[in-house]
Amino acid sequence: MNYPVNPQTYAPVFTSLKERDWKVLLELFDREDIDEIETDINSNLLLMIPEPCWEDDPFDFLREYL
């Protein structure tokens, strides 16, 4: 197999999922409240997006060149 050199970009799977792992994953996604869980995850992920710092000047690094 020909894998990319940079391990941060891609890492091959070295172990496969065990039968108990498949069972737990199937149970996790085969719930009646999966839509509510998805909504909760999405709303929490949106809260994690950092707000821009309005005090910082994004072009400050150019001042010495202008």
Side-chain angles (χ1 to χ4, degrees):
M1 293 186 183
N2 190 8
Y3 295 112
V5 177
N6 187 351
Q8 294 173 341
T9 304
Y10 176 79
V13 177
F14 293 113
T15 59
S16 61
L17 291 174
K18 296 183 170 107
E19 186 176 338
R20 69 167 194 250
D21 299 331
W22 281 110
K23 182 181 177 189
V24 170
L25 282 171
L26 288 172
E27 289 174 2
L28 175 67
F29 290 103
D30 191 26
R31 296 175 47 143
E32 293 195 15
D33 61 343
I34 193 70
D35 291 333
E36 295 171 23
I37 294 172
E38 179 185 7
T39 302
D40 185 47
I41 291 171
N42 285 334
S43 62
N44 280 296
L45 286 174
L46 288 173
L47 294 174
M48 293 183 185
I49 298 173
E51 291 185 29
C53 184
W54 298 112
E55 291 87 32
D56 290 347
D57 181 7
F59 301 107
D60 190 41
F61 70 97
L62 290 175
R63 289 207 192 285
E64 66 184 80
Y65 299 106
L66 297 176

